[in-house]
Amino acid sequence: MTAGTTNPITKKTYLDDLYKPRTIRHSNAVLRSFYDFWIETGGGPLVNPVPLARSDRRRTHAHHRPLEPYRGEGRLRYNPKVPKRRPRQMPDERWNELFATLRSNRDRAILALAVSNGARASELLGVRGVDLDWGDQLVKVVGKGTLAEQWLPASPEAFIWIRLYLAEGPPLDPQAALWWTLRRRDHGEGLAYQVMNYEALRAVFRRVNALLGTNWSMHDLRHTAALRMARDESLSLRDVQTILGHAHLSTTADIYLVEEEAQVIRRVQEHLAEVKDRAKIPPPAVAGGYEAGDLDVLFGGGGA
């Protein structure tokens, strides 16, 4: 595994130690908001150290029309461009391979939930026992950023793995966290149950990736679930937006209304094959009483 190289199985690039454009842009936005707050309260510097681009130096929304939506306040001068990346759906055979490598029912339950409804890792890790609706097969999560509660559907297989996981451990307090892991005590005196965190979930993927020679992550399962839903003709784009928790429909459309390159190439190849086959079909016979040359002139043929 070398930083910057592409995994031949997942087609994903291994991360390096450099900050990515999205991380830099997010940090710039946070810093600008922080200093704006202190400037407004009179307790900060006179100049924001994260300025807007020169063309955007104007009062925010100075000429805003009431009937039009508000836009962002402007581009930050030092923001890098974000390359547009297409989400990739994990092929079914790769998903089966990944799932078969998992070592515990807890891990199987978490990943089965993620691939069925596209919930984020932080949302799933925050699930409690009381957040499970066994009758309607729903799970309640707290949305990232908005902190809004949302009930999400889950597959029957996911609830089967949850039940198997719960049957193995100690009795579950409905108000306590759902996911637990065994960890050695601070002074090395045996093992104790601790609430599962994001680092423990990353460790699950590190073990799986080491065995399979891949670099899958939890976000790949979110992309897989989203693309499966977006390509299902029985679901609308609004349905997908609601399940994914996107604030704007345009976000869902920009990310997930994409075509797989392999499918596009296959359809174009079929088109080219049809064109070639049509070229082999002989032209229809000339109707009685008409000269072939006259028909070529009438229909734009090579005669005359």
Side-chain angles (χ1 to χ4, degrees):
M1 180 182 71
T2 305
T5 60
T6 301
N7 186 283
I9 299 176
T10 65
K11 306 298 188 295
K12 293 172 52 183
T13 302
Y14 287 103
L15 299 178
D16 52 30
D17 295 331
L18 301 177
Y19 288 111
K20 299 303 177 185
R22 292 184 184 275
T23 304
I24 297 174
R25 292 171 69 97
H26 176 74
S27 300
N28 286 344
V30 171
L31 285 174
R32 178 168 178 82
S33 299
F34 174 80
Y35 283 106
D36 274 345
F37 169 78
W38 286 108
I39 291 172
E40 291 176 2
T41 58
L46 297 178
V47 179
N48 196 313
V50 187
L52 294 175
R54 289 183 176 86
S55 61
D56 294 328
R57 286 183 175 179
R58 59 185 183 274
R59 184 164 60 88
T60 306
H61 307 307
H63 304 286
H64 177 258
R65 296 180 180 178
L67 296 180
E68 294 182 354
Y70 283 93
R71 299 181 181 273
E73 69 170 52
R75 296 180 295 108
L76 301 183
R77 186 189 303 181
Y78 304 114
N79 267 355
K81 292 184 178 181
V82 178
K84 191 168 184 179
R85 295 176 300 177
R86 300 177 59 181
R88 294 182 179 274
Q89 178 178 343
M90 185 184 297
D92 291 342
E93 61 271 17
R94 295 300 181 189
W95 160 249
N96 294 333
E97 183 181 67
L98 169 67
F99 197 80
T101 314
L102 299 174
R103 303 191 305 186
S104 69
N105 290 328
R106 179 204 63 191
D107 300 342
R108 298 183 185 103
I110 295 176
L111 268 64
L113 280 173
V115 82
S116 65
N117 57 30
R120 300 177 179 89
S122 59
E123 296 170 347
L124 290 178
L125 291 176
V127 172
R128 302 167 300 166
V130 73
D131 296 330
L132 297 176
D133 185 337
W134 293 91
D136 292 331
Q137 294 188 334
L138 302 173
V139 56
K140 184 173 70 176
V141 300
V142 177
K144 176 184 176 183
T146 63
L147 301 182
E149 295 182 348
Q150 180 183 10
W151 286 97
L152 298 177
S155 65
E157 292 80 5
F159 272 88
I160 290 175
W161 291 114
I162 294 174
R163 186 176 294 278
L164 293 174
Y165 156 68
L166 293 176
E168 297 173 344
L172 175 67
D173 180 359
Q175 300 298 328
L178 178 62
W179 314 112
W180 294 80
T181 182
L182 279 175
R183 284 288 180 267
R184 193 169 300 278
R185 299 179 185 271
D186 294 339
H187 302 289
E189 300 174 356
L191 300 175
Y193 279 100
Q194 297 181 8
V195 177
M196 188 175 187
N197 56 23
Y198 187 70
E199 183 56 36
L201 185 56
R202 290 185 62 185
V204 173
F205 277 88
R206 282 198 297 269
R207 289 194 296 268
V208 171
N209 288 328
L211 291 173
L212 300 178
T214 56
N215 57 346
W216 299 118
S217 67
M218 274 292 289
H219 213 66
D220 292 317
L221 302 185
R222 177 173 171 82
H223 285 325
T224 299
L227 287 170
R228 286 177 177 177
M229 290 186 288
R231 291 166 182 165
D232 190 332
E233 296 181 356
S234 63
L235 296 177
S236 68
L237 191 61
R238 178 67 177 174
D239 296 332
V240 182
Q241 176 204 0
T242 301
I243 295 298
L244 296 180
H246 289 159
H248 304 287
L249 186 63
S250 59
T251 303
T252 311
D254 291 343
I255 298 176
Y256 295 110
L257 283 188
V258 297
E259 287 284 358
E260 287 285 347
E261 292 182 1
Q263 296 179 1
V264 174
I265 292 174
R266 176 181 55 79
R267 289 198 297 268
V268 173
Q269 288 175 337
E270 292 175 354
H271 162 72
L272 295 175
E274 291 176 359
V275 171
K276 184 178 180 181
D277 293 339
R278 286 198 300 267
K280 296 178 180 178
I281 300 176
V286 178
Y290 294 95
E291 294 290 337
D294 296 338
L295 291 177
D296 285 338
V297 174
L298 178 61
F299 294 110

